[in-house]
Amino acid sequence: MFENINHLMVLIPALPLASAIFTAIFGRSLLKERAHLPTILALVASFVLSLFLLFDIRGRVHELHESSEGAATHSVGVEVWHTLWTWAAIGHEYHHPDTVVDGHAAPADVAGHNFDFIVDVTLRADPLTAIMLCMVTFVSSLVSIYGVGYMHGDRGYWRFYSYVSLFVFSMTMLVSVSNFALLYVFWEAVGVCSYLLIGFWYEKPSAAAAGKKAFLVNRIGDFGFAIGLFLLWVTYGTLNFHDTPAADGVAAVAGILGQTRLADPSLYVGGAVGLAICLCLLTGACGKSAQFPLHVWLPDAMEGPTPVSALIHAATMVTAGVYMVTRCTPLFVASPESQEVVAAIGGFTALLAGLIAVTQTDLKRVLAYSTVSQLGYMFLGLGVGSLAGISAGMFHLFTHAYFKALLFLAAGSVMHAMGGVIDMRRFSGLRFIMPTTCWTFWFGSLALSGVFPFAGFWSKDAIIGAVGDRAAAGSTLYTVLFWASLFTAFLTAFYTFRALFLTFYGREKIPPEAGHHAHESPSVMTFPLMILAVCALGIGAVYEWNHTFAHFLGNTPSLAYATIQATAVHAGEHSHLGLALFSTFVALSGVGLAAYFYLGDHRHIEQLTRIMRSPFGLRLYQLSSGKFYIDPIYNLLIVWPLQLLAAVSYWVDRWIVDGLVNLCGRVPVAFGAVLRSLQSGLVQFYALVMVLGMLVLIGTLFLWPAG
């Protein structure tokens, strides 16, 4: 173990923050074409420090297991937390009750404070945090290196790297903080960074619109998340994950995910309140991790630079929701109904996105819907409610980061060579022009499809196996989700290899935008591809060996406490060999069907497409290519009514509210204009008016004498 673990926890996010500030200040004037250097150096250093942190936590896990052998009690999991400073402390003054002088209460200057609400800037380290930090910093480092070639010559080069550094800082803080209030702060910071990066080319209308769409859709989820935090505060009296020890003037407080509550799961609130808390938190997770019905922003996020797509889909924003639900496992366990909702949303989203992906023609959009589908798998694993399912969901997040970053960066390599064209109908046969990109795309496709022994095989099968165990226990819901997950696995293999075959096989076709010099991407772009390809091949098997990942992750306090242990279906307790073989057969069937339709003559797929377009085929092709018309439905039910309401409100404000106010101002002006006409400046006229006025007054007195 490292004695300076507190320094590690601070330096890992501090380095990207320093890089973001330095690049923002000096990038344009001083660094220029070398604006990438601070970001790359900071992210690589953060990755190295994250490895040190991981090794330290592993050492503490071993110590915990050795010290607990034969012991009746021990701490729940492994956690280290370090408070930097107090950000907010709200409370009231009080007198120390034990401070008495000659039988009288102490004077006012002895008063202290009883703080009702405290937000400390506290960082934590545990197995979950260590895994997330290593994954985020490693993938981000490779993406930043790749961006040197991809973004070369862009006039916003320095701005891009400043945003990337800020994005990574926000994500590392999100997974490191030990307080729900700070989690929300960096939850929003990640959202702001995604808005800046998706709309990076803001002069392009579609990019600006995509950035706004991502920002607004996530605000819906974040509103639910904020309500969940209010409910947590009202229910538990704190927002800290950890237990707060007693201090001068401050009583000890049991954290929501602290040792006190984890040692006694009865302290967690269930029922309607517990369900409401979990559903509100899930709403926020659905927004960040693009789950139905808030998934619509992620495919449009492809308008940003490809390195941004890889960063969002693999290492940062979309993983935040999965992380948060995993971190809050005790809350979801206290409300089993909420776990069923998580599983149902995850399974449905995985299937829906898979059905949409099979007809998309934009290579990056195919991968975007693939991300939505794979995130659905992760939520499905988290919703199983067992340690095996939760570990499998997190394991899939971990492996998915590598092969999805690989696929997006490979797609960016294709786009770079094709002059910005990414429509698969406009290019083909690129395997000889771009051999490195082709074979690395093969590795990513095999991993995504779940073919043995690639990374996706181990993590996806672990999720399906955990769902199968719940289905075998007699649950109708999980039985349906089990078969849906297998069908989704078939779709995944089909649409992934459809994209591969359309891009790299068939007759060679190059779009005019690429000119006559289409070639393989430079080494600064292919180097990260090769590293990620190796990870896509072997990282799943390495961590699945002896269930290393699950055992290490299981020492996270949120996952190690008695309720999870009692209900866990531990990896390895049930053999899933038969399921693994069947799942492999399903994946290979999808690959084989894609090869049958897209290698060689395409007339068979054209015939099938015509059938699917016809009423006989229920117009399934239009449903899929139209993304099940979810966006038009949202426009009809939400956007257009709100626009109409805005137009009516504007009319009312402009002509009624402003009209009444303006009328009040114009009446005195009009009255004054009438009186102004009487001001002629002639003394004779004024005398005549006075005489006439006097005559009118006298006449009035005679006609109505005083009674």
Side-chain angles (χ1 to χ4, degrees):
M1 295 186 297
F2 297 90
E3 295 181 358
N4 58 344
I5 187 172
N6 292 342
H7 297 161
L8 295 178
M9 288 190 286
V10 172
L11 285 173
I12 290 170
L15 290 175
L17 176 61
S19 169
I21 296 172
F22 185 82
T23 306
I25 295 174
F26 300 106
R28 186 173 187 176
S29 59
L30 181 63
L31 296 173
K32 298 180 180 179
E33 70 275 3
R34 294 187 295 275
H36 57 273
L37 289 178
T39 297
I40 294 176
L41 292 175
L43 297 188
V44 171
S46 290
F47 169 62
V48 173
L49 296 176
S50 298
L51 288 178
F52 288 153
L53 182 68
L54 178 69
F55 294 145
D56 184 280
I57 297 299
R58 284 187 60 186
R60 294 174 189 268
V61 168
H62 291 317
E63 283 192 2
L64 174 66
H65 290 174
E66 291 174 359
S67 63
S68 63
E69 291 180 0
T73 60
H74 59 279
S75 63
V76 181
V78 172
E79 64 176 354
V80 179
W81 50 273
H82 174 51
T83 300
L84 301 178
W85 69 84
T86 298
W87 181 30
I90 303 172
H92 57 273
E93 290 189 353
Y94 76 104
H95 295 290
H96 292 282
D98 56 349
T99 306
V100 178
V101 180
D102 296 332
H104 300 284
D109 58 3
V110 192
H113 287 84
N114 183 10
F115 293 113
D116 299 316
F117 180 73
I118 299 177
V119 178
D120 291 325
V121 179
T122 301
L123 302 180
R124 70 182 290 112
D126 56 28
L128 177 58
T129 299
I131 290 171
M132 290 295 296
L133 286 175
C134 287
M135 181 270 290
V136 169
T137 53
F138 178 70
V139 174
S140 300
S141 298
L142 293 178
V143 169
S144 64
I145 295 172
Y146 176 94
V148 175
Y150 190 89
M151 299 298 294
H152 178 70
D154 193 286
R155 65 177 184 174
Y157 192 69
W158 62 274
R159 183 165 53 91
F160 171 80
Y161 277 100
S162 179
Y163 290 168
V164 168
S165 294
L166 187 62
F167 204 1
V168 177
F169 160 71
S170 301
M171 189 64 194
T172 53
M173 284 297 291
L174 187 151
V175 301
S176 297
V177 295
S178 191
N179 181 284
F180 276 104
L182 290 176
L183 175 64
Y184 188 80
V185 168
F186 291 103
W187 188 272
E188 294 300 320
V190 167
V192 170
C193 292
S194 68
Y195 165 75
L196 294 173
L197 285 168
I198 293 170
F200 179 77
W201 290 316
Y202 55 86
E203 295 177 346
K204 183 180 176 183
S206 58
K212 288 187 289 185
K213 184 176 183 180
F215 189 81
L216 293 174
V217 171
N218 272 275
R219 297 292 70 73
I220 298 172
D222 295 349
F223 178 73
F225 190 19
I227 294 176
L229 298 193
F230 290 133
L231 289 174
L232 283 171
W233 162 249
V234 172
T235 304
Y236 294 101
T238 183
L239 291 178
N240 284 336
F241 296 168
H242 57 280
D243 291 340
T244 304
D248 185 22
V250 180
V253 178
I256 297 176
L257 305 175
Q259 296 290 325
T260 301
R261 295 188 192 278
L262 296 179
D264 184 6
S266 64
L267 296 176
Y268 285 103
V269 176
V273 174
L275 178 61
I277 290 173
C278 292
L279 292 183
C280 288
L281 296 178
L282 178 61
T283 303
C286 286
K288 276 290 180 289
S289 293
Q291 295 297 283
F292 179 85
L294 301 179
H295 66 286
V296 292
W297 68 270
L298 190 57
D300 289 349
M302 298 304 95
E303 294 294 337
T306 299
V308 173
S309 301
L311 204 59
I312 291 176
H313 287 250
T316 53
M317 185 166 173
V318 298
T319 65
V322 180
Y323 162 80
M324 188 265 286
V325 174
T326 304
R327 176 68 73 190
C328 297
T329 291
L331 300 175
F332 284 87
V333 170
S335 178
E337 299 87 354
S338 66
Q339 291 184 315
E340 294 180 352
V341 175
V342 172
I345 289 178
F348 179 77
T349 304
L351 179 59
L352 176 68
L355 290 171
I356 294 175
V358 296
T359 59
Q360 300 304 305
T361 57
D362 184 302
L363 179 57
K364 288 174 63 177
R365 200 169 292 271
V366 171
L367 298 178
Y369 278 107
S370 169
T371 299
V372 175
S373 183
Q374 299 308 303
L375 289 166
Y377 267 112
M378 299 171 204
F379 276 88
L380 177 58
L382 299 181
V384 169
S386 67
L387 183 59
I390 297 168
S391 299
M394 280 301 302
F395 190 31
H396 197 50
L397 180 148
F398 182 73
T399 60
H400 175 265
Y402 299 101
F403 59 74
K404 184 51 61 70
L406 168 61
L407 288 171
F408 265 108
L409 296 184
S413 178
V414 171
M415 190 175 181
H416 183 265
M418 296 297 104
V421 175
I422 199 63
D423 189 335
M424 294 183 291
R425 294 170 297 186
R426 300 189 58 197
F427 52 74
S428 60
L430 303 183
R431 66 186 185 279
F432 297 120
I433 297 175
M434 310 180 70
T436 303
T437 301
C438 178
W439 71 260
T440 53
F441 202 100
W442 261 98
F443 276 51
S445 299
L446 290 168
L448 176 58
S449 301
V451 176
F452 178 86
F454 289 83
F457 167 81
W458 306 99
S459 55
K460 186 185 295 183
D461 277 13
I463 293 175
I464 297 175
V467 177
D469 289 336
R470 284 296 301 271
S475 171
T476 303
L477 171 64
Y478 289 96
T479 300
V480 172
L481 293 175
F482 172 74
W483 291 107
S485 65
L486 283 174
F487 181 60
T488 305
F490 169 80
L491 292 175
T492 302
F494 177 78
Y495 67 67
T496 302
F497 276 86
R498 167 182 175 266
L500 172 67
F501 295 145
L502 286 176
T503 301
F504 294 101
Y505 291 85
R507 67 180 183 85
E508 184 177 302
K509 182 168 62 174
I510 308 295
E513 290 85 347
H516 302 288
H517 49 78
H519 56 80
E520 182 62 272
S521 298
S523 57
V524 72
M525 295 173 64
T526 57
F527 173 71
L529 293 180
M530 290 185 284
I531 294 179
L532 290 169
V534 173
C535 294
L537 171 62
I539 201 165
V542 168
Y543 283 97
E544 180 62 16
W545 187 260
N546 292 328
H547 309 295
T548 304
F549 186 93
H551 290 165
F552 179 66
L553 182 66
N555 287 280
T556 302
S558 296
L559 305 181
Y561 78 113
T563 303
I564 289 290
Q565 296 285 12
T567 61
V569 183
H570 290 281
E573 289 184 356
H574 297 277
S575 174
H576 294 141
L577 178 60
L579 177 61
L581 293 175
F582 183 66
S583 177
T584 300
F585 170 76
V586 169
L588 292 177
S589 298
V591 175
L593 188 63
Y596 173 75
F597 281 135
Y598 293 102
L599 287 181
D601 194 351
H602 288 188
R603 58 195 170 103
H604 298 295
I605 191 62
E606 292 171 356
Q607 292 172 353
L608 180 61
T609 300
R610 283 195 295 270
I611 294 173
M612 292 294 102
R613 287 180 181 273
S614 67
F616 178 77
L618 303 178
R619 303 191 186 278
L620 294 177
Y621 185 90
Q622 288 92 326
L623 281 174
S624 175
S625 62
K627 308 159 198 172
F628 287 87
Y629 304 109
I630 294 176
D631 279 306
I633 291 173
Y634 282 171
N635 285 333
L636 178 63
L637 298 181
I638 300 175
V639 177
W640 291 346
L642 289 177
Q643 288 178 335
L644 178 61
L645 177 63
V648 172
S649 299
Y650 173 78
W651 187 89
V652 171
D653 180 68
R654 180 71 176 84
W655 298 106
I656 296 180
V657 178
D658 284 356
L660 289 174
V661 172
N662 293 336
L663 180 63
C664 293
R666 287 169 182 167
V667 167
V669 174
F671 185 71
V674 173
L675 295 178
R676 191 182 309 117
S677 64
L678 301 177
Q679 301 297 319
S680 62
L682 296 174
V683 176
Q684 298 89 335
F685 176 75
Y686 296 156
L688 177 62
V689 171
M690 292 172 63
V691 170
L692 291 175
M694 183 64 69
L695 292 175
V696 170
L697 180 60
I698 293 172
T700 302
L701 291 175
F702 277 110
L703 292 175
W704 288 282

